[in-house]
Each structure stands twice: as structure tokens, then as C-alpha cells.
Amino acid sequence: MNKLELFLWGVLPYIILTIFVTAIIWRYVTNPFGWTSKSSEMLEKRILRWGSLFFHYGLIAVFCGHIAGLLVPVSVYRSLGISDEAYHLAAIIGGLPAGIVTFIGVLILLYRRFAVARIRLTSSAGDMIALVVLAIVIFSGLAVTSANALSHSGFDYRTTINPWVRSVLVFQPDPELMQTVPLGFKIHILTTFVLYLVIPFTRLVHLFSLPLRYLRRSYVLYRRRGEAGAEAAFHDRQNRKEAI
Ligand code: HEM
């Protein structure tokens, strides 16, 4: 294993982790009221609704898949009687659609941010960079999963990437585990490192507020002032009474 690989898989994760944690704490302490996803719903709602729906629900499924694939040791599955074939089939049948839904979501959100003038003009560089980096991470994950499934290479991330992730998390890094990992997976992991650097400095910090109730909340209603607004409010009250 050469020095570059030792650095990438033995040292770099801790540099990223240190910047990530320090920047998150610094942001929270210095600007607690800036800890927000800065809603732009008031400016455009129709495209946001679809993009946000696909992206957030897809990402929750992708997140659960990563926990099952990267943090749960392969021995646990074997002791439960789940064969390697059954696991990989479930990972493809569940993981790929989840990845595709998330990717469609991020593409819709990208389109909205760059093509809808009022959103583009009120976006910061951070808003745009966050979406572009997310799209690259998700695309690289999807590409490597598809390529691995189609190539029938027999590569198993549960005996290589999985123990490497856990070795990093328990502060006993074992870069050797990454030696046989195909380049595509390495690129996917390195793109996620860029994402971890972007999260603390952008609207993505809102993920730490775990706004799960947000997914089920009613959309914010914006009404015109004056007569038209009063009439809409009246109909809204009537509809609510009927619903009760
Ligand atoms: C260090 C962190 C990460 C590691 C080690 C990692 C590793 C992996 C591995 C091994 C796969 C292949 C799964 C399979 O073949 O079934 C994969 C797929 C994927 N990854 Fe990651 N990943 C990481 C973080 C992320 C993040 C932060 C995102 C998104 C924001 C992401 C998005 C995806 C997507 C969309 C797929 C395609 C399959 C699926 O939907 O599960 N990954 N990743």
C-alpha cells in the first residue's frame, strides 16, 4: 500500500471529521438563528413539492440501506441465516430504486434552482454548490452500484468497505481493507468527503435538526391581502369545519 493510499484511508477521514465537527459547532455557537434550510417555498412551490418529496423520501431509504450495508457486520447477517446472495439481491432491489428516486429528486431541485429565475436570483453560492455536490455523490453511488451488479465481479463491500468504515469510527483505522476496493467505490467515498466539508457551511446543516415531522406537515399557506385574501380564508375555514 503506497503513501497516498495510507493518507486517503488512514488520515484524510480524520481531517474531514475534525473540520466537519469543528465547523458545525462554530456555526451553531456563532449563528444559531442561521441554522435553517431557508425555505424558498414562497417563491416557487409546484416544482419544489415534487423535488423535495422524491429527494427526502429517497434519501431516508438510501440512509437506512447504508446503515444496514456499512455498519452491520456481515457475520450478523450470516448468523441470522441470511445468505450472501439473498442480501445482495435485497440490496439491489431496495437500494437501486431508492437511489434512482433520490437522484430524480436532486435533478428536479437542481433544475428549479438554476432554471427558475426568482429562485436563481435569491440563491447563494452555497445553495447551488450543496445541490451540485449532492448530485455528484448520489450519481457516483448509483453508477458504482449498477456497475458492480452488472459486472458480477464478486466484490463484496461488506468484507472490505464495511469493516474499514467501522475501523475509522472506532479510531483504529485499517487502510489495508481498502486495498482491493474498485476505483468506483473509492471515488464515491471521496465525493462524500467533499459533501461533509460542504454541509456545515450551507443550508444542509438542517439535517441535524432531524426535521422528520416536516415531511408530514401542511404546506405553508400564503394569501393575498384584501378582499381576495379574506374570501380565501373564509373558504379555508369552511373546508376545515366540514373536514371535522
Ligand atoms: C463514507 C460514507 C459512504 C460510504 C462508505 C458509501 C458506500 C456505498 C456503497 C458501498 C454503496 C453500494 C451499495 C450496493 O452496492 O448495494 C453505495 C451506494 C450508494 N450511495 Fe453511498 N456511501 C457513503 C455515503 C453516501 C452518501 C452521504 C450518499 C448520499 C447523500 C450516498 C448515496 C449513495 C447512493 C444513492 C447509492 C446507490 C444505491 C443506494 O441507493 O443505496 N452515499 N454507497
Side-chain angles (χ1 to χ4, degrees), residues 59 62 65-66 70 87 91-92 94-96 98-100 102 134 137-139 141-142 144-145 148 157 161 164-165 185 188-189 192-193 195-196:
L59 197 63
V62 168
H66 277 65
L70 296 177
Y87 171 86
I92 298 292
L96 268 183
I100 291 169
T102 319
L134 270 172
V137 171
I138 295 161
F139 177 75
L142 260 180
V144 80
T145 303
N148 196 44
Y157 52 84
I161 303 176
W164 169 75
V165 170
F185 284 98
H188 176 56
I189 297 169
T192 74
F193 286 2
L195 180 67
Y196 308 139

mmCIF file of all heavy atoms in Angstrom, residues 59 62 65-66 70 87 91-92 94-96 98-100 102 134 137-139 141-142 144-145 148 157 161 164-165 185 188-189 192-193 195-196, ligand 1:
data_model
loop_
_atom_site.group_PDB
_atom_site.id
_atom_site.type_symbol
_atom_site.label_atom_id
_atom_site.label_comp_id
_atom_site.label_asym_id
_atom_site.label_seq_id
_atom_site.Cartn_x
_atom_site.Cartn_y
_atom_site.Cartn_z
ATOM 1 N N LEU A 59 -33.832 9.670 0.038
ATOM 2 C CA LEU A 59 -32.622 9.743 0.867
ATOM 3 C C LEU A 59 -32.777 8.985 2.180
ATOM 4 O O LEU A 59 -31.824 8.353 2.657
ATOM 5 C CB LEU A 59 -32.269 11.211 1.139
ATOM 6 C CG LEU A 59 -30.839 11.441 1.619
ATOM 7 C CD1 LEU A 59 -29.822 11.018 0.561
ATOM 8 C CD2 LEU A 59 -30.610 12.896 1.974
ATOM 9 N N VAL A 62 -32.126 5.470 1.258
ATOM 10 C CA VAL A 62 -30.698 5.273 0.975
ATOM 11 C C VAL A 62 -29.908 5.259 2.289
ATOM 12 O O VAL A 62 -29.016 4.428 2.495
ATOM 13 C CB VAL A 62 -30.173 6.400 0.047
ATOM 14 C CG1 VAL A 62 -28.646 6.390 -0.018
ATOM 15 C CG2 VAL A 62 -30.758 6.255 -1.352
ATOM 16 N N GLY A 65 -30.328 1.999 4.021
ATOM 17 C CA GLY A 65 -29.553 0.988 3.286
ATOM 18 C C GLY A 65 -28.080 1.062 3.659
ATOM 19 O O GLY A 65 -27.419 0.029 3.835
ATOM 20 N N HIS A 66 -27.556 2.287 3.799
ATOM 21 C CA HIS A 66 -26.140 2.444 4.150
ATOM 22 C C HIS A 66 -25.859 1.934 5.563
ATOM 23 O O HIS A 66 -24.825 1.338 5.818
ATOM 24 C CB HIS A 66 -25.704 3.904 4.018
ATOM 25 C CG HIS A 66 -25.358 4.268 2.603
ATOM 26 N ND1 HIS A 66 -26.273 4.276 1.589
ATOM 27 C CD2 HIS A 66 -24.174 4.613 2.032
ATOM 28 C CE1 HIS A 66 -25.681 4.618 0.464
ATOM 29 N NE2 HIS A 66 -24.407 4.832 0.694
ATOM 30 N N LEU A 70 -23.254 -0.891 5.703
ATOM 31 C CA LEU A 70 -21.909 -0.446 6.111
ATOM 32 C C LEU A 70 -21.625 -0.626 7.601
ATOM 33 O O LEU A 70 -20.483 -0.749 7.999
ATOM 34 C CB LEU A 70 -21.693 1.025 5.741
ATOM 35 C CG LEU A 70 -21.706 1.329 4.241
ATOM 36 C CD1 LEU A 70 -21.568 2.816 3.997
ATOM 37 C CD2 LEU A 70 -20.589 0.580 3.531
ATOM 38 N N TYR A 87 -28.852 -11.351 0.526
ATOM 39 C CA TYR A 87 -28.549 -9.981 0.951
ATOM 40 C C TYR A 87 -28.345 -9.083 -0.266
ATOM 41 O O TYR A 87 -28.922 -7.989 -0.362
ATOM 42 C CB TYR A 87 -27.285 -9.939 1.840
ATOM 43 C CG TYR A 87 -26.868 -8.512 2.085
ATOM 44 C CD1 TYR A 87 -27.420 -7.760 3.121
ATOM 45 C CD2 TYR A 87 -25.973 -7.872 1.209
ATOM 46 C CE1 TYR A 87 -27.086 -6.429 3.300
ATOM 47 C CE2 TYR A 87 -25.637 -6.544 1.376
ATOM 48 C CZ TYR A 87 -26.194 -5.829 2.420
ATOM 49 O OH TYR A 87 -25.873 -4.502 2.574
ATOM 50 N N ALA A 91 -30.341 -5.878 -1.540
ATOM 51 C CA ALA A 91 -29.673 -4.573 -1.634
ATOM 52 C C ALA A 91 -29.926 -3.931 -3.004
ATOM 53 O O ALA A 91 -30.136 -2.721 -3.099
ATOM 54 C CB ALA A 91 -28.177 -4.733 -1.386
ATOM 55 N N ILE A 92 -29.931 -4.771 -4.046
ATOM 56 C CA ILE A 92 -30.144 -4.223 -5.397
ATOM 57 C C ILE A 92 -31.614 -3.831 -5.571
ATOM 58 O O ILE A 92 -31.935 -2.721 -6.016
ATOM 59 C CB ILE A 92 -29.764 -5.280 -6.485
ATOM 60 C CG1 ILE A 92 -28.285 -5.636 -6.386
ATOM 61 C CG2 ILE A 92 -30.118 -4.780 -7.880
ATOM 62 C CD1 ILE A 92 -27.329 -4.527 -6.771
ATOM 63 N N GLY A 94 -33.840 -3.135 -3.314
ATOM 64 C CA GLY A 94 -34.236 -1.999 -2.471
ATOM 65 C C GLY A 94 -33.398 -0.761 -2.727
ATOM 66 O O GLY A 94 -33.908 0.353 -2.823
ATOM 67 N N GLY A 95 -32.068 -0.986 -2.881
ATOM 68 C CA GLY A 95 -31.143 0.153 -2.961
ATOM 69 C C GLY A 95 -31.227 0.926 -4.257
ATOM 70 O O GLY A 95 -31.271 2.164 -4.241
ATOM 71 N N LEU A 96 -31.280 0.186 -5.392
ATOM 72 C CA LEU A 96 -31.264 0.904 -6.669
ATOM 73 C C LEU A 96 -32.484 1.809 -6.860
ATOM 74 O O LEU A 96 -32.329 2.991 -7.178
ATOM 75 C CB LEU A 96 -31.132 -0.076 -7.834
ATOM 76 C CG LEU A 96 -29.695 -0.360 -8.291
ATOM 77 C CD1 LEU A 96 -29.677 -1.280 -9.495
ATOM 78 C CD2 LEU A 96 -28.932 0.913 -8.606
ATOM 79 N N ALA A 98 -34.288 3.173 -4.617
ATOM 80 C CA ALA A 98 -34.170 4.296 -3.667
ATOM 81 C C ALA A 98 -33.185 5.328 -4.204
ATOM 82 O O ALA A 98 -33.430 6.545 -4.154
ATOM 83 C CB ALA A 98 -33.705 3.783 -2.306
ATOM 84 N N GLY A 99 -32.058 4.830 -4.744
ATOM 85 C CA GLY A 99 -31.053 5.733 -5.310
ATOM 86 C C GLY A 99 -31.603 6.498 -6.505
ATOM 87 O O GLY A 99 -31.351 7.694 -6.654
ATOM 88 N N ILE A 100 -32.378 5.795 -7.349
ATOM 89 C CA ILE A 100 -32.929 6.450 -8.550
ATOM 90 C C ILE A 100 -33.927 7.547 -8.145
ATOM 91 O O ILE A 100 -33.897 8.666 -8.658
ATOM 92 C CB ILE A 100 -33.592 5.398 -9.490
ATOM 93 C CG1 ILE A 100 -32.497 4.503 -10.082
ATOM 94 C CG2 ILE A 100 -34.403 6.071 -10.600
ATOM 95 C CD1 ILE A 100 -32.996 3.272 -10.818
ATOM 96 N N THR A 102 -33.985 9.214 -5.337
ATOM 97 C CA THR A 102 -33.227 10.333 -4.754
ATOM 98 C C THR A 102 -32.579 11.158 -5.860
ATOM 99 O O THR A 102 -32.571 12.392 -5.806
ATOM 100 C CB THR A 102 -32.104 9.813 -3.817
ATOM 101 O OG1 THR A 102 -32.619 8.730 -3.067
ATOM 102 C CG2 THR A 102 -31.611 10.888 -2.883
ATOM 103 N N LEU A 134 -24.320 17.172 -3.854
ATOM 104 C CA LEU A 134 -25.244 16.067 -3.556
ATOM 105 C C LEU A 134 -25.494 15.231 -4.812
ATOM 106 O O LEU A 134 -25.486 13.998 -4.755
ATOM 107 C CB LEU A 134 -26.573 16.626 -3.050
ATOM 108 C CG LEU A 134 -26.697 16.835 -1.548
ATOM 109 C CD1 LEU A 134 -27.981 17.573 -1.225
ATOM 110 C CD2 LEU A 134 -26.660 15.498 -0.803
ATOM 111 N N VAL A 137 -22.506 13.007 -5.517
ATOM 112 C CA VAL A 137 -22.409 11.880 -4.568
ATOM 113 C C VAL A 137 -23.441 10.805 -4.935
ATOM 114 O O VAL A 137 -23.123 9.608 -5.003
ATOM 115 C CB VAL A 137 -22.648 12.365 -3.122
ATOM 116 C CG1 VAL A 137 -22.767 11.184 -2.164
ATOM 117 C CG2 VAL A 137 -21.523 13.283 -2.669
ATOM 118 N N ILE A 138 -24.670 11.240 -5.173
ATOM 119 C CA ILE A 138 -25.741 10.270 -5.454
ATOM 120 C C ILE A 138 -25.494 9.572 -6.795
ATOM 121 O O ILE A 138 -25.646 8.354 -6.917
ATOM 122 C CB ILE A 138 -27.114 10.975 -5.425
ATOM 123 C CG1 ILE A 138 -27.377 11.480 -4.004
ATOM 124 C CG2 ILE A 138 -28.232 10.051 -5.871
ATOM 125 C CD1 ILE A 138 -28.431 12.554 -3.924
ATOM 126 N N PHE A 139 -25.050 10.355 -7.798
ATOM 127 C CA PHE A 139 -24.776 9.751 -9.099
ATOM 128 C C PHE A 139 -23.646 8.721 -8.983
ATOM 129 O O PHE A 139 -23.749 7.625 -9.525
ATOM 130 C CB PHE A 139 -24.412 10.827 -10.137
ATOM 131 C CG PHE A 139 -24.049 10.231 -11.458
ATOM 132 C CD1 PHE A 139 -25.041 9.730 -12.297
ATOM 133 C CD2 PHE A 139 -22.720 10.108 -11.852
ATOM 134 C CE1 PHE A 139 -24.709 9.139 -13.508
ATOM 135 C CE2 PHE A 139 -22.382 9.516 -13.050
ATOM 136 C CZ PHE A 139 -23.378 9.033 -13.887
ATOM 137 N N GLY A 141 -22.749 6.994 -6.405
ATOM 138 C CA GLY A 141 -23.258 5.816 -5.684
ATOM 139 C C GLY A 141 -24.077 4.924 -6.592
ATOM 140 O O GLY A 141 -23.913 3.698 -6.624
ATOM 141 N N LEU A 142 -24.932 5.572 -7.379
ATOM 142 C CA LEU A 142 -25.793 4.812 -8.298
ATOM 143 C C LEU A 142 -24.955 4.115 -9.364
ATOM 144 O O LEU A 142 -25.186 2.940 -9.677
ATOM 145 C CB LEU A 142 -26.728 5.786 -9.012
ATOM 146 C CG LEU A 142 -28.141 5.914 -8.503
ATOM 147 C CD1 LEU A 142 -28.907 6.925 -9.324
ATOM 148 C CD2 LEU A 142 -28.845 4.562 -8.554
ATOM 149 N N VAL A 144 -21.804 3.211 -9.315
ATOM 150 C CA VAL A 144 -20.960 2.121 -8.825
ATOM 151 C C VAL A 144 -21.807 0.903 -8.437
ATOM 152 O O VAL A 144 -21.410 -0.246 -8.656
ATOM 153 C CB VAL A 144 -20.069 2.645 -7.672
ATOM 154 C CG1 VAL A 144 -20.773 2.723 -6.357
ATOM 155 C CG2 VAL A 144 -18.827 1.829 -7.529
ATOM 156 N N THR A 145 -22.994 1.161 -7.906
ATOM 157 C CA THR A 145 -23.884 0.041 -7.549
ATOM 158 C C THR A 145 -24.315 -0.702 -8.810
ATOM 159 O O THR A 145 -24.280 -1.938 -8.870
ATOM 160 C CB THR A 145 -25.132 0.567 -6.807
ATOM 161 O OG1 THR A 145 -24.701 1.297 -5.671
ATOM 162 C CG2 THR A 145 -26.035 -0.555 -6.350
ATOM 163 N N ASN A 148 -21.333 -2.587 -10.384
ATOM 164 C CA ASN A 148 -20.966 -3.766 -9.602
ATOM 165 C C ASN A 148 -21.969 -4.900 -9.818
ATOM 166 O O ASN A 148 -21.598 -6.063 -9.946
ATOM 167 C CB ASN A 148 -20.881 -3.399 -8.117
ATOM 168 C CG ASN A 148 -20.145 -4.446 -7.318
ATOM 169 O OD1 ASN A 148 -19.101 -4.928 -7.743
ATOM 170 N ND2 ASN A 148 -20.705 -4.822 -6.166
ATOM 171 N N TYR A 157 -18.628 -5.347 -0.608
ATOM 172 C CA TYR A 157 -18.243 -4.208 0.245
ATOM 173 C C TYR A 157 -18.438 -4.529 1.725
ATOM 174 O O TYR A 157 -17.935 -3.836 2.591
ATOM 175 C CB TYR A 157 -19.007 -2.931 -0.139
ATOM 176 C CG TYR A 157 -20.505 -3.093 -0.198
ATOM 177 C CD1 TYR A 157 -21.272 -2.982 0.950
ATOM 178 C CD2 TYR A 157 -21.143 -3.373 -1.389
ATOM 179 C CE1 TYR A 157 -22.638 -3.160 0.899
ATOM 180 C CE2 TYR A 157 -22.508 -3.546 -1.458
ATOM 181 C CZ TYR A 157 -23.257 -3.430 -0.311
ATOM 182 O OH TYR A 157 -24.615 -3.609 -0.363
ATOM 183 N N ILE A 161 -15.221 -2.458 2.562
ATOM 184 C CA ILE A 161 -15.586 -1.076 2.932
ATOM 185 C C ILE A 161 -16.264 -1.051 4.303
ATOM 186 O O ILE A 161 -15.990 -0.179 5.133
ATOM 187 C CB ILE A 161 -16.516 -0.450 1.857
ATOM 188 C CG1 ILE A 161 -15.835 -0.478 0.491
ATOM 189 C CG2 ILE A 161 -16.878 0.976 2.236
ATOM 190 C CD1 ILE A 161 -16.695 0.032 -0.644
ATOM 191 N N TRP A 164 -13.835 -1.273 7.073
ATOM 192 C CA TRP A 164 -12.994 -0.066 7.058
ATOM 193 C C TRP A 164 -13.765 1.105 7.705
ATOM 194 O O TRP A 164 -13.211 1.814 8.554
ATOM 195 C CB TRP A 164 -12.594 0.297 5.618
ATOM 196 C CG TRP A 164 -11.961 1.652 5.564
ATOM 197 C CD1 TRP A 164 -10.696 1.964 5.972
ATOM 198 C CD2 TRP A 164 -12.580 2.874 5.159
ATOM 199 N NE1 TRP A 164 -10.493 3.319 5.837
ATOM 200 C CE2 TRP A 164 -11.625 3.900 5.335
ATOM 201 C CE3 TRP A 164 -13.842 3.218 4.646
ATOM 202 C CZ2 TRP A 164 -11.895 5.242 5.032
ATOM 203 C CZ3 TRP A 164 -14.113 4.546 4.344
ATOM 204 C CH2 TRP A 164 -13.142 5.537 4.542
ATOM 205 N N VAL A 165 -15.048 1.270 7.339
ATOM 206 C CA VAL A 165 -15.845 2.359 7.926
ATOM 207 C C VAL A 165 -15.880 2.203 9.441
ATOM 208 O O VAL A 165 -15.663 3.146 10.195
ATOM 209 C CB VAL A 165 -17.295 2.371 7.357
ATOM 210 C CG1 VAL A 165 -18.178 3.342 8.133
ATOM 211 C CG2 VAL A 165 -17.315 2.739 5.887
ATOM 212 N N PHE A 185 -15.900 2.703 -6.206
ATOM 213 C CA PHE A 185 -16.323 2.838 -4.804
ATOM 214 C C PHE A 185 -15.472 3.886 -4.090
ATOM 215 O O PHE A 185 -15.971 4.652 -3.274
ATOM 216 C CB PHE A 185 -16.209 1.489 -4.072
ATOM 217 C CG PHE A 185 -17.304 0.527 -4.425
ATOM 218 C CD1 PHE A 185 -17.108 -0.468 -5.366
ATOM 219 C CD2 PHE A 185 -18.551 0.613 -3.812
ATOM 220 C CE1 PHE A 185 -18.121 -1.354 -5.697
ATOM 221 C CE2 PHE A 185 -19.569 -0.271 -4.128
ATOM 222 C CZ PHE A 185 -19.349 -1.253 -5.082
ATOM 223 N N HIS A 188 -16.679 7.218 -5.036
ATOM 224 C CA HIS A 188 -17.934 7.516 -4.318
ATOM 225 C C HIS A 188 -17.630 7.996 -2.890
ATOM 226 O O HIS A 188 -18.170 9.003 -2.427
ATOM 227 C CB HIS A 188 -18.830 6.280 -4.305
ATOM 228 C CG HIS A 188 -20.095 6.448 -3.507
ATOM 229 N ND1 HIS A 188 -20.995 7.466 -3.746
ATOM 230 C CD2 HIS A 188 -20.607 5.735 -2.457
ATOM 231 C CE1 HIS A 188 -21.990 7.378 -2.884
ATOM 232 N NE2 HIS A 188 -21.782 6.334 -2.084
ATOM 233 N N ILE A 189 -16.740 7.312 -2.216
ATOM 234 C CA ILE A 189 -16.425 7.681 -0.824
ATOM 235 C C ILE A 189 -15.734 9.050 -0.779
ATOM 236 O O ILE A 189 -16.074 9.898 0.059
ATOM 237 C CB ILE A 189 -15.545 6.592 -0.159
ATOM 238 C CG1 ILE A 189 -16.333 5.282 -0.094
ATOM 239 C CG2 ILE A 189 -15.128 7.011 1.248
ATOM 240 C CD1 ILE A 189 -15.516 4.071 0.294
ATOM 241 N N THR A 192 -18.116 11.796 -1.070
ATOM 242 C CA THR A 192 -18.864 12.064 0.174
ATOM 243 C C THR A 192 -18.011 12.917 1.133
ATOM 244 O O THR A 192 -18.548 13.702 1.887
ATOM 245 C CB THR A 192 -19.316 10.776 0.917
ATOM 246 O OG1 THR A 192 -18.214 10.171 1.549
ATOM 247 C CG2 THR A 192 -20.008 9.794 0.014
ATOM 248 N N PHE A 193 -16.675 12.783 1.039
ATOM 249 C CA PHE A 193 -15.804 13.622 1.882
ATOM 250 C C PHE A 193 -16.034 15.098 1.542
ATOM 251 O O PHE A 193 -16.068 15.953 2.425
ATOM 252 C CB PHE A 193 -14.323 13.274 1.674
ATOM 253 C CG PHE A 193 -13.890 11.970 2.304
ATOM 254 C CD1 PHE A 193 -14.791 11.144 2.970
ATOM 255 C CD2 PHE A 193 -12.559 11.554 2.237
ATOM 256 C CE1 PHE A 193 -14.391 9.953 3.543
ATOM 257 C CE2 PHE A 193 -12.144 10.359 2.808
ATOM 258 C CZ PHE A 193 -13.060 9.559 3.456
ATOM 259 N N LEU A 195 -18.750 16.307 0.374
ATOM 260 C CA LEU A 195 -20.073 16.652 0.929
ATOM 261 C C LEU A 195 -19.961 17.022 2.410
ATOM 262 O O LEU A 195 -20.582 17.985 2.875
ATOM 263 C CB LEU A 195 -21.036 15.475 0.730
ATOM 264 C CG LEU A 195 -22.455 15.662 1.260
ATOM 265 C CD1 LEU A 195 -23.183 16.745 0.464
ATOM 266 C CD2 LEU A 195 -23.248 14.356 1.179
ATOM 267 N N TYR A 196 -19.144 16.265 3.169
ATOM 268 C CA TYR A 196 -19.029 16.557 4.604
ATOM 269 C C TYR A 196 -18.388 17.919 4.845
ATOM 270 O O TYR A 196 -18.619 18.533 5.884
ATOM 271 C CB TYR A 196 -18.223 15.462 5.334
ATOM 272 C CG TYR A 196 -18.751 14.061 5.066
ATOM 273 C CD1 TYR A 196 -17.889 12.994 4.861
ATOM 274 C CD2 TYR A 196 -20.121 13.825 4.983
ATOM 275 C CE1 TYR A 196 -18.377 11.721 4.586
ATOM 276 C CE2 TYR A 196 -20.605 12.561 4.708
ATOM 277 C CZ TYR A 196 -19.739 11.510 4.499
ATOM 278 O OH TYR A 196 -20.210 10.263 4.219
HETATM 279 C C1 HEM B 1 -18.457 7.277 3.906
HETATM 280 C C2 HEM B 1 -19.716 7.288 3.517
HETATM 281 C C3 HEM B 1 -20.242 6.370 2.438
HETATM 282 C C4 HEM B 1 -19.808 5.127 2.053
HETATM 283 C C5 HEM B 1 -18.645 4.316 2.623
HETATM 284 C C6 HEM B 1 -20.700 4.687 0.982
HETATM 285 C C7 HEM B 1 -20.611 3.456 0.338
HETATM 286 C C8 HEM B 1 -21.527 2.989 -0.571
HETATM 287 C C9 HEM B 1 -21.557 1.656 -1.099
HETATM 288 C C10 HEM B 1 -20.630 0.520 -0.672
HETATM 289 C C11 HEM B 1 -22.566 1.575 -2.000
HETATM 290 C C12 HEM B 1 -23.002 0.337 -2.814
HETATM 291 C C13 HEM B 1 -24.231 -0.289 -2.214
HETATM 292 C C14 HEM B 1 -24.684 -1.503 -3.024
HETATM 293 O O1 HEM B 1 -23.977 -1.938 -3.937
HETATM 294 O O2 HEM B 1 -25.767 -2.020 -2.689
HETATM 295 C C15 HEM B 1 -23.198 2.890 -2.056
HETATM 296 C C16 HEM B 1 -24.269 3.215 -2.842
HETATM 297 C C17 HEM B 1 -24.920 4.442 -2.856
HETATM 298 N N1 HEM B 1 -24.584 5.540 -2.108
HETATM 299 FE FE1 HEM B 1 -23.086 5.632 -0.705
HETATM 300 N N2 HEM B 1 -21.642 5.664 0.746
HETATM 301 C C18 HEM B 1 -21.410 6.706 1.612
HETATM 302 C C19 HEM B 1 -22.139 7.877 1.734
HETATM 303 C C20 HEM B 1 -23.193 8.249 0.898
HETATM 304 C C21 HEM B 1 -23.928 9.492 0.983
HETATM 305 C C22 HEM B 1 -23.657 10.588 2.030
HETATM 306 C C23 HEM B 1 -24.890 9.467 -0.011
HETATM 307 C C24 HEM B 1 -25.949 10.472 -0.391
HETATM 308 C C25 HEM B 1 -26.067 11.691 0.057
HETATM 309 C C26 HEM B 1 -24.741 8.215 -0.722
HETATM 310 C C27 HEM B 1 -25.511 7.818 -1.800
HETATM 311 C C28 HEM B 1 -25.479 6.562 -2.383
HETATM 312 C C29 HEM B 1 -26.423 6.104 -3.393
HETATM 313 C C30 HEM B 1 -27.575 6.913 -3.983
HETATM 314 C C31 HEM B 1 -26.076 4.781 -3.683
HETATM 315 C C32 HEM B 1 -26.791 3.851 -4.699
HETATM 316 C C33 HEM B 1 -27.511 2.691 -4.051
HETATM 317 C C34 HEM B 1 -28.456 3.035 -2.921
HETATM 318 O O3 HEM B 1 -29.420 3.719 -3.200
HETATM 319 O O4 HEM B 1 -28.220 2.602 -1.785
HETATM 320 N N3 HEM B 1 -23.702 7.505 -0.151
HETATM 321 N N4 HEM B 1 -22.549 3.725 -1.178
#
